[in-house]
Amino acid sequence: MRIVVVGGVAAGMSAASRAKRFDPGAEVVVFERGEYISYGACGLPYVLGGAVDDWDDLVARTPEQMRGRGIGVRLRHEVTGLDAQARTVTVSGPSGVCTEPYDRLLIATGVSAIRPDWARTDAAGVHVLREIPDGQAIARSLEGARRVCIVGTGYIGLELAENLCRQGLSVVMLERGDEVGGNIVDVEYRRRIRAELEAHGVDVRCGVTVEGLTVREGRVSGVQTDTGLVRADTVIVAVGVRPNVELLKAAGARLGKTGAAAVNVRQETSVPGIYAAGDNCETVHRVTRRKVHIPLGLTANRMGRVAGVNMAGGDATFPGVVGTGIFKVFGLGVARTGLGQADAERLGLDAVSVDVESTDHASYYAGAAPIHVRLTGERGSGRLLGGQLICSNPQSVKRVDVLAAHLHGRGKVEDLFQMDLAYAPPFSGVWDVLLVAADRLQRALR
Ligand code: FAD
């Protein structure tokens, strides 16, 4: 049994490790076109901001460690072709091009950052942030830089804004929509995120469309927008991602409506012997039962595990996601799971939301911070649809996990209210803010 994995980060390396553990006799080979495997891309903004010392700190397992486990790792090897009939891939590496056979193949090629036409330039100082070398290039570009323009205000743009400000840089953010944060959370919470950015000196401009870049002596000098020129010596483009599905397309594998790979719960594509896992795949949203493309770290790792077990002859399934996400912007923690009111309305659900403001722990205990919770439920069924939290004590929004667990079980709001949640003054009020919100929502749903 020869298992070939294309892409050596979260999904690819989880799959390789699982497959080898499940069937120690299998030959497992990973082809990675980059210089690194098995690293936490999620930490990239924090190396730029100084909270993480070094790029190498993001690496969980080195190629040598993986080889020690009997997994073949070939860095700087790009898979450029796939023949599903012959069960071979074409690989281009430092010593030339070769053909490699497989019995089972995993495509774990992730996503690429979108570069609009205006960002396709040879000028220095224009970047995206996806992989470690992107981060290293930004770090080099920032030496001597003063004014950075971040185009896009999704979670990567927001995390970058904080981290670049921490380096003493002047930061401008440009957003085409009328508020920051895309559709991460409902608009009321996005306004709070914008206020937090502005309180820390970020120049946020919404409703602005980028038209081009200005370049002086080979380096970007500004961003031309429909409302005027924004001066900047470094521009970071964070306007979204697209799944890397070229190999799958070439093999005739089915793609979903989201544009990502269509896979079943075993991570199998429509082509026999070929699996896909990670950011390049769509999956089922357990609240809506619709197919979604939500490329995040845990999902990629989990899909990789499932694919690894199945490729090695086991039987594992990926149950889907509920759309849980969390991030920090300066002193603000923001978390979400399931559907917000706006999401639910877009889907035509009869949804009701309640907002509760409280403190994250007993108000008489030192350090209590305001916390805002929005819970959304469905009239008729009474089930919880989702929740959003925002708090100036960032750790406190991790209680979103209670809501995510409840969504996984398709739980009702009244059952959330009955939960025995932990209480002591340093951690919560006796009625945790989630219970207060659930009580209010169950009454609103009656
Ligand atoms: P990737 O990590 O993209 O790995 C795919 C690999 O495939 C790449 O190394 C690529 O070089 C390789 N490859 C592609 N094509 C080929 C080919 N033809 N041949 C050989 N190799 C190929 N997620 C969270 O859940 N929380 C966070 O806080 C968070 N923060 C993030 C911050 C940043 C700045 C970024 C960029 C991502 C963040 N993510 C976060 C997302 C998370 O990192 C991804 O979900 C995860 O890395 C996906 O893993 P993957 O293996 O599917 O894809």
Side-chain angles (χ1 to χ4, degrees):
M1 168 67 74
R2 188 169 205 250
I3 295 173
V4 168
V5 174
V6 187
V9 190
M13 292 321 292
S14 298
S17 301
R18 278 282 136 178
K20 191 70 188 171
R21 195 176 300 176
F22 197 88
D23 178 2
E27 184 190 357
V28 181
V29 186
V30 180
F31 293 106
E32 166 54 54
R33 70 180 171 194
E35 308 258 325
Y36 294 89
I37 57 156
S38 192
Y39 63 90
C42 316
L44 293 171
Y46 301 98
V47 184
L48 290 168
V52 178
D53 290 336
D54 196 82
W55 305 104
D56 286 342
D57 295 347
L58 303 181
V59 176
R61 303 263 184 284
T62 62
E64 291 67 38
Q65 286 170 319
M66 297 313 292
R67 286 178 196 125
R69 295 178 179 190
I71 296 169
V73 176
R74 315 252 181 95
L75 294 180
R76 294 180 287 277
H77 280 75
E78 179 167 10
V79 174
T80 54
L82 164 52
D83 185 337
Q85 294 297 320
R87 296 209 174 201
T88 58
V89 288
T90 308
V91 185
S92 172
S95 49
V97 177
C98 60
T99 302
E100 295 276 347
Y102 66 82
D103 296 304
R104 301 274 185 280
L105 175 69
L106 174 67
I107 305 294
T109 45
V111 291
S112 294
I114 292 172
R115 266 189 194 256
D117 285 344
W118 56 260
R120 292 171 200 271
T121 168
D122 293 334
V126 183
H127 302 274
V128 295
L129 180 60
R130 205 45 240 167
E131 298 173 1
I132 290 179
D134 298 328
Q136 292 167 329
I138 293 174
R140 283 193 298 276
S141 190
L142 292 177
E143 286 166 17
R146 299 166 66 133
R147 195 168 151 86
V148 182
C149 179
I150 300 171
V151 182
T153 61
Y155 73 90
I156 292 178
L158 293 168
E159 289 177 352
L160 272 170
E162 174 190 343
N163 282 288
L164 299 184
C165 277
R166 291 202 187 287
Q167 295 290 7
L169 291 154
S170 158
V171 176
V172 188
M173 295 191 86
L174 302 182
E175 167 59 50
R176 192 170 52 178
D178 52 12
E179 193 45 272
V180 300
N183 56 3
I184 302 176
V185 280
D186 286 339
V187 69
E188 294 81 358
Y189 282 19
R190 291 191 272 129
R191 284 193 199 114
R192 287 172 202 267
I193 296 171
R194 191 215 289 224
E196 181 75 4
L197 291 163
E198 289 174 341
H200 286 84
V202 179
D203 178 355
V204 183
R205 305 187 194 178
C206 293
V208 172
T209 301
V210 174
E211 295 175 340
L213 300 174
T214 56
V215 176
R216 194 181 307 143
E217 292 170 8
R219 186 179 176 107
V220 66
S221 59
V223 180
Q224 189 65 54
T225 76
D226 58 348
T227 58
L229 181 70
V230 177
R231 280 188 309 102
D233 45 38
T234 303
V235 174
I236 304 178
V237 184
V239 296
V241 294
R242 57 165 188 77
N244 292 329
V245 288
E246 292 76 13
L247 289 169
L248 289 166
K249 253 201 240 174
R254 208 167 63 74
L255 302 183
K257 280 194 186 137
T258 63
V263 287
N264 63 16
V265 290
R266 290 170 45 84
Q267 299 300 134
E268 290 164 331
T269 69
S270 57
V271 180
I274 302 183
Y275 295 69
D279 277 8
N280 60 355
C281 290
E282 59 177 34
T283 187
V284 173
H285 195 296
R286 288 170 63 98
V287 177
T288 64
R289 306 256 198 238
R290 289 173 183 239
K291 289 289 168 71
V292 288
H293 179 228
I294 305 179
L296 286 173
L298 174 61
T299 305
N301 277 280
R302 199 188 290 284
M303 285 180 172
R305 278 170 76 110
V306 168
V309 168
N310 291 332
M311 288 191 296
D315 187 18
T317 54
F318 181 76
V321 299
V322 293
T324 310
I326 191 165
F327 59 96
K328 181 174 103 62
V329 190
F330 295 100
L332 210 58
V334 183
R336 60 151 295 156
T337 189
L339 307 179
Q341 181 68 27
D343 303 323
E345 282 170 8
R346 263 196 299 277
L347 292 166
L349 297 173
D350 189 3
V352 181
S353 292
V354 295
D355 290 288
V356 168
E357 185 178 344
S358 181
T359 51
D360 65 333
H361 56 256
S363 53
Y364 56 78
Y365 187 89
I371 184 165
H372 301 262
V373 174
R374 164 172 282 201
L375 285 190
T376 303
E378 186 181 39
R379 274 204 193 88
S381 70
R383 76 183 164 125
L384 182 70
L385 292 177
Q388 306 186 351
L389 295 93
I390 197 159
C391 182
S392 49
N393 186 358
Q395 306 289 343
S396 294
V397 299
K398 190 70 169 85
R399 48 171 49 86
V400 73
D401 289 342
V402 173
L403 304 178
H406 204 54
L407 290 176
H408 268 269
R410 293 181 81 77
K412 291 189 171 193
V413 175
E414 61 190 44
D415 298 324
L416 174 63
F417 174 65
Q418 297 299 345
M419 278 189 183
D420 179 19
L421 300 187
Y423 160 64
F427 300 98
S428 79
V430 62
W431 290 95
D432 186 85
V433 63
L434 293 184
L435 298 176
V436 177
D439 185 30
R440 201 166 294 174
L441 183 56
Q442 67 176 349
R443 284 186 275 123
L445 285 171
R446 270 181 206 138

